[in-house]
Amino acid sequence: MSRQAEASPSTPDGLDTLNIAALIYRLDDGVPLLVGANETAKRQLRLDGRFPVADPWQWLDGGRYPAAGRDHPALLNVAPTASRQWHSFHIRQHRQPLLAVKLKVSPLEAPGDTEPGHHVLIAIGEIAADDAEPGLLAQHQPQLRQVFENLPMGVCMIDAGGYLRQVNRAFCEFFGYPESELLNAHFRKLLPPQSRQAAEKRHAASFPNALNQRRSLEVWLHDGATRTVMLEDTIGRDERGTPQRIAFLVDITQRRDLERRLEEKNRRLEYLATRDDLTGLHNRRMGWELLERALERGQRLGDKVAVAMLDLDHFKAINDRHGHAVGDTVLKEFSHFVAGALRSSDTLIRWGGEEFLMILPGVDRFSAQATVNRVLAQLRHRVLSPLELRVSFSAGVGEHRQQTSKGLLEEVDLALYQAKSAGRGCVAIAPVPVSRSGRRLDQAFSSP
């Protein structure tokens, strides 16, 4: 036995004979600590006899409000006149029915006490299961109670501590609990574990000043399923003037699921509007926009921007000989290969059919030609599709000066035509401006 327990007074003789449960509390700086109990209390309140301990239950006052802190029964006025009065309290034990008790509180003296009232005796004369319906609506207002019960939406009333003080039929049916398992339970019981702590902090911070708050949240049903509800709450007061949160819940799970599906469809539509469905590259429509952005940025920063147009050689023959499914596979694998060979700052666009546009910021036409030649050389050692086909491409390269994007692409298209005319599988640089002497500079061709 601990020294603290040895210094505690023993329970008065005869209380067990009278079937009165006796509890002894020591008050340490006003904080009650259970240090002893008689056999009747141990039996009726399921105590194991190990002391001192914190309360193994929760005290509620006569109105079923949590009696913690200064409201604990051990802190009642223990003057001689008060010790003759019976007080109504309730005890909530884990997984046990709520118990209604009648008790008296008396001061006790123990060896070593330096001041009166350091120990108190709580004598419990009556212990009974509490079958009464806890309510915040006055019994003389049957019409309001009937309206509350018959509302088609779930409604609950929550006290400052977060305990459910009142629930209506729709609320119970939605969560799948009988009313007896919800009344006086904490609201965290109805939330997924990962959101409980944040919800309790929000409740404590906003109570009792919250007013007409509306938000959606995930809740946890009795069967473990989660649902999305729209919650709107306000602050009211019961017949004693105690503030309480009144919450109205509407199930919006189907609406939320529909919104999510619509959001997914919108993302898909946006993807299809800007991407090529076969290769996943940006499509021609988005390609124009990306080209305009790149040229505008290069002009603003004084950076060079090169552009290359690639065209797979003899691609029609692949479709004709092996079928369009094989052709599609070749296009997808070709796109993936070329995109992987470029810098992260470069952009590859499917311009249409077997044509692809490269945007190469920060390089001139000669560096761009070297890049395209490198890709072409690597491609010749690469097989595509399960048929292990080898392909090549022709390309035209140009550099932005002051011409429009359309003018630049026309120059690149001309260079691509010249590369095809030169025998394919090579890269041509677009014609450059006329020199000051009036002579046109030579056209540059290259192949890996």
Side-chain angles (χ1 to χ4, degrees):
M1 182 178 295
S2 69
R3 188 175 63 180
Q4 290 178 329
E6 292 173 355
S8 301
S10 59
T11 56
D13 296 336
L15 291 184
D16 279 320
T17 305
L18 298 174
N19 200 34
I20 293 178
L23 304 173
I24 298 175
Y25 282 87
R26 185 177 70 243
L27 306 182
D28 292 336
D29 296 326
V31 178
L33 184 67
L34 184 62
V35 296
N38 67 352
E39 294 302 321
T40 303
K42 293 176 183 178
R43 182 181 69 256
Q44 295 181 346
L45 300 179
R46 302 173 185 266
L47 295 173
D48 58 13
R50 290 180 295 179
F51 304 106
V53 294
D55 281 329
W57 51 73
Q58 180 190 23
W59 287 99
L60 307 173
D61 63 16
R64 302 176 186 84
Y65 286 89
R70 292 178 297 178
D71 296 323
H72 193 282
L75 299 178
L76 289 175
N77 186 347
V78 292
T81 54
S83 64
R84 293 194 295 268
Q85 299 176 0
W86 290 98
H87 301 274
S88 296
F89 278 85
H90 297 80
I91 291 177
R92 177 191 284 118
Q93 293 177 289
H94 182 61
R95 299 182 181 274
Q96 298 295 325
L98 190 67
L99 299 178
V101 300
K102 296 285 188 180
L103 59 83
K104 291 183 179 181
V105 183
S106 304
L108 282 181
E109 293 186 5
D113 282 354
T114 58
E115 58 184 34
H118 190 62
H119 286 84
V120 296
L121 170 70
I122 295 181
I124 303 177
E126 298 179 14
I127 301 178
D130 184 9
D131 297 326
E133 178 185 4
L136 294 175
L137 298 178
Q139 296 296 331
H140 62 273
Q141 296 178 311
Q143 296 88 353
L144 290 179
R145 183 173 296 278
Q146 184 177 9
V147 170
F148 176 84
E149 283 298 324
N150 294 329
L151 281 173
M153 66 179 66
V155 185
C156 67
M157 300 181 183
I158 307 171
D159 65 17
Y163 293 94
L164 297 168
R165 310 299 297 161
Q166 186 78 20
V167 293
N168 71 346
R169 184 181 299 110
F171 189 93
C172 297
E173 291 175 352
F174 174 70
F175 283 98
Y177 286 97
E179 185 181 40
S180 59
E181 293 189 31
L182 290 178
L183 289 174
N184 297 310
H186 199 278
F187 73 76
R188 61 174 166 261
K189 178 178 184 176
L190 306 177
L191 299 177
Q194 65 272 15
S195 62
R196 290 174 182 172
Q197 185 176 6
E200 291 183 52
K201 289 182 178 179
R202 183 169 56 245
H203 173 77
S206 63
F207 197 90
N209 300 315
L211 184 64
N212 295 328
Q213 296 184 348
R214 177 181 294 182
R215 61 188 178 277
S216 62
L217 74 157
E218 298 293 320
V219 295
W220 206 17
L221 307 189
H222 182 51
D223 61 6
T226 57
R227 306 282 287 181
T228 304
V229 300
M230 179 63 70
L231 182 145
E232 184 165 0
D233 57 4
T234 186
I235 296 297
R237 296 184 180 274
D238 64 11
E239 64 272 13
R240 299 189 305 172
T242 304
Q244 60 189 357
R245 185 187 298 273
I246 305 173
F248 300 84
L249 283 75
V250 177
D251 184 9
I252 61 168
T253 305
Q254 291 184 345
R255 190 183 83 183
R256 183 60 177 163
D257 290 343
L258 176 60
E259 290 174 350
R260 288 170 178 164
R261 289 196 295 270
L262 289 175
E263 290 172 0
E264 179 62 29
K265 287 182 178 179
N266 287 336
R267 285 193 294 268
R268 179 62 179 165
L269 289 173
E270 182 179 353
Y271 178 88
L272 292 175
T274 60
R275 295 278 181 172
D276 173 58
D277 198 35
L278 176 64
T279 64
L281 298 176
H282 290 294
N283 59 19
R284 182 172 184 144
R285 176 177 173 274
M286 189 64 186
W288 275 108
E289 185 175 337
L290 294 175
L291 178 60
E292 293 284 358
R293 291 180 193 173
L295 298 184
E296 187 276 331
R297 184 177 185 277
Q299 192 167 3
R300 186 176 71 252
L301 300 179
D303 290 341
K304 295 181 180 297
V305 179
V307 173
M309 185 72 75
L310 283 59
D311 187 281
L312 281 174
D313 295 330
H314 308 295
F315 182 73
K316 183 177 183 300
I318 295 177
N319 278 335
D320 293 342
R321 182 176 180 182
H322 303 289
H324 288 280
V326 173
D328 288 347
T329 301
V330 169
L331 288 173
K332 286 190 289 186
E333 294 184 7
F334 172 80
S335 302
H336 180 75
F337 169 76
V338 176
L342 299 178
R343 303 172 300 172
S344 60
S345 58
D346 299 332
T347 303
L348 182 65
I349 299 157
R350 188 182 182 193
W351 202 245
E354 62 270 25
E355 282 192 332
F356 295 83
L357 180 71
M358 282 184 185
I359 302 175
L360 307 166
V363 299
D364 59 18
R365 60 189 182 278
F366 300 110
S367 296
Q369 184 186 41
T371 296
V372 179
N373 269 324
R374 173 176 55 82
V375 174
L376 181 57
Q378 293 173 353
L379 181 64
R380 287 178 176 171
H381 301 286
R382 180 91 172 195
V383 293
L384 304 178
S385 85
L387 299 181
E388 299 186 350
L389 302 177
R390 297 182 184 275
V391 299
S392 65
F393 61 80
S394 303
V397 175
E399 180 183 331
H400 182 241
R401 301 179 305 279
Q402 296 298 324
Q403 73 274 52
T404 64
S405 57
K406 182 178 179 181
L408 174 59
L409 290 183
E410 288 175 351
E411 293 178 6
V412 171
D413 272 336
L414 179 58
L416 174 60
Y417 175 78
Q418 292 172 340
K420 289 181 178 181
S421 300
R424 303 179 187 269
C426 62
V427 182
I429 295 180
V432 294
V434 175
S435 67
R436 292 183 180 179
S437 63
R439 294 181 301 171
R440 193 175 189 84
L441 298 179
D442 292 337
Q443 175 70 42
F445 287 91
S446 67
S447 61

